[in-house]
Amino acid sequence: MDVFLDILDTLILDRCYAFLSPDLNASLESHKFTDSQLNRHVKIYYPMQPSKWAEASLWKRDDLARQALSLYLITWLFAMIMYLLGSLVLYHTLFDKRLLRHPRFLTNQMQLEIKQGLSAIPVITVLTVPFFIAEIRGWSKLYDFTSESPFWGYTLLQYPFFICFTDSGIYWIHRGLHHPLVYRWLHKPHHKWAVPTPFASYAFHPLDGWSQSLPYHIFPMLFPLQKSAYLGLFVFVTMWTVLIHDAEYLPTSEIINGASCHTMHHLYFNYNYGQFTTAWDRLGGTYRKPKGDAFMENQQGTEKTADKFD
């Protein structure tokens, strides 16, 4: 995130902050940049020079409030794009439109999912920004290059290690959200969608969605993680959250907690709490094998009968 922030500061944000909060003592023409801390993160990878507006604002780049605002805007915009664009693409490609006629599909459900998702994302973003602040200020174990990894082979091992850690954390957090003391207040809003569409992927109570994201942000605070891997995994996790809400009923893998497994969770509540695999559900006795849905099977039977008489 620190490299990304350097790039956006140089290309866009320096000028924006200079306009919103100008430093009248700064001169764009005469100012000479020394070998300062500006662009120190991106310079490791590419010799990008600071923009001429880099110090033209009263809000300097290392100002905590400016960093928090910048990270909020970046994260909010990224989440909105991934949510709306990703869900839209899945809806028009993989999502089975026959589910719109399912008896447990609510009236105006997609509009309600989108409304809840759009209202949750800004709050989740506010709660997530402190983790990003910690990362750009060097309080995490993120590192730049393979040569900095703790031991040979860790570059490859960090990926399954991250998946296992987050899969375990989400399982127990998700299962805890089903406890009667908190379910009604936090997790029940997400379970309105018994037959979810891809737009249900962010249709959470904000504290619910944020709590289930905690393992992703805690991991680099406790364990080394290469920055490029962190960025790739962040995109992957965001996409996966959308993918498992496409309400596909067809049974698939009994190891991967895909859409079919997660649909069983939405239908039967106390099963398949996992995020990526079914490992913890099997260990915890909460695994339910995906099966076909009676409504969908009847739909398929009707289509075959219609084809027969055509």
Side-chain angles (χ1 to χ4, degrees):
M1 191 60 77
D2 49 10
V3 175
F4 199 47
L5 190 57
D6 274 354
I7 295 171
L8 286 179
D9 275 335
T10 301
L11 298 180
I12 302 173
L13 297 177
D14 283 338
R15 187 167 188 172
C16 292
Y17 285 113
F19 174 77
L20 294 172
S21 179
D23 184 351
L24 300 179
N25 296 320
S27 172
L28 299 181
E29 288 75 19
S30 62
H31 185 76
K32 299 293 184 182
F33 292 110
T34 60
D35 186 19
S36 66
Q37 296 298 305
L38 296 176
N39 284 8
R40 64 187 182 278
H41 302 294
V42 70
K43 279 181 179 177
I44 297 175
Y45 302 93
Y46 181 79
M48 175 178 280
Q49 294 301 312
S51 70
K52 64 180 181 180
W53 296 280
E55 294 188 346
S57 172
L58 292 174
W59 270 14
K60 304 305 180 185
R61 284 194 183 183
D62 60 352
D63 185 276
L64 181 62
R66 169 174 167 168
Q67 289 178 337
L69 178 58
S70 298
L71 290 169
Y72 174 83
L73 294 173
I74 293 167
T75 307
W76 172 79
L77 184 60
F78 173 81
M80 291 286 286
I81 291 173
M82 292 296 291
Y83 170 55
L84 293 175
L85 183 59
S87 299
L88 187 66
V89 169
L90 277 180
Y91 176 77
H92 287 292
T93 54
L94 300 181
F95 183 71
D96 194 332
K97 306 300 189 299
R98 293 175 300 176
L99 290 167
L100 300 176
R101 303 191 300 272
H102 196 285
R104 298 187 67 181
F105 194 86
L106 305 180
T107 303
N108 298 323
Q109 179 173 310
M110 278 196 300
Q111 292 92 325
L112 294 172
E113 289 173 337
I114 293 170
K115 181 180 179 181
Q116 191 175 51
L118 294 181
S119 64
I121 287 174
V123 181
I124 295 173
T125 303
V126 168
L127 297 172
T128 303
V129 162
F131 289 101
F132 292 147
I133 288 288
E135 292 166 10
I136 66 172
R137 290 184 170 250
W139 302 337
S140 72
K141 294 183 179 293
L142 292 171
Y143 62 92
D144 291 290
F145 301 111
T146 302
S147 58
E148 302 172 49
S149 62
F151 56 84
W152 183 87
Y154 188 81
T155 302
L156 295 178
L157 289 175
Q158 64 185 336
Y159 295 98
F161 189 20
F162 176 91
I163 295 297
C164 290
F165 178 88
T166 54
D167 199 39
S168 172
I170 292 172
Y171 173 84
W172 290 109
I173 291 171
H174 192 179
R175 188 167 178 176
L177 286 165
H178 277 255
H179 191 280
L181 291 177
V182 296
Y183 175 79
R184 179 183 176 186
W185 308 107
L186 294 182
H187 199 51
K188 188 176 181 180
H190 186 62
H191 273 281
K192 287 190 298 185
W193 330 117
V195 182
T197 76
F199 292 100
S201 55
Y202 278 80
F204 286 96
H205 184 289
L207 288 177
D208 179 2
W210 175 75
S211 67
Q212 294 193 61
S213 74
L214 283 175
Y216 308 133
H217 303 296
I218 292 174
F219 183 90
M221 298 295 166
L222 300 178
F223 306 104
L225 186 65
Q226 194 171 5
K227 289 180 181 178
S228 57
Y230 177 65
L231 180 60
L233 287 165
F234 187 69
V235 173
F236 165 73
V237 164
T238 305
M239 292 178 63
W240 185 266
T241 302
V242 177
L243 282 168
I244 63 173
H245 286 90
D246 71 354
E248 176 56 66
Y249 280 97
L250 294 177
T252 52
S253 172
E254 295 187 8
I255 299 174
I256 304 300
N257 184 54
S260 54
C261 273
H262 197 69
T263 296
M264 293 298 103
H265 175 72
H266 276 260
L267 287 171
Y268 303 106
F269 299 99
N270 296 320
Y271 301 93
N272 299 356
Y273 296 109
Q275 180 77 350
F276 301 113
T277 75
T278 62
W280 280 100
D281 280 301
R282 292 177 182 278
L283 290 171
T286 55
Y287 175 68
R288 182 164 185 148
K289 183 178 179 179
K291 65 177 182 177
D293 178 71
F295 171 80
M296 296 300 290
E297 290 173 353
N298 289 336
Q299 291 289 308
Q300 291 170 355
T302 302
E303 289 175 359
K304 290 179 180 178
T305 302
D307 292 339
K308 182 178 180 180
F309 288 98
D310 282 345

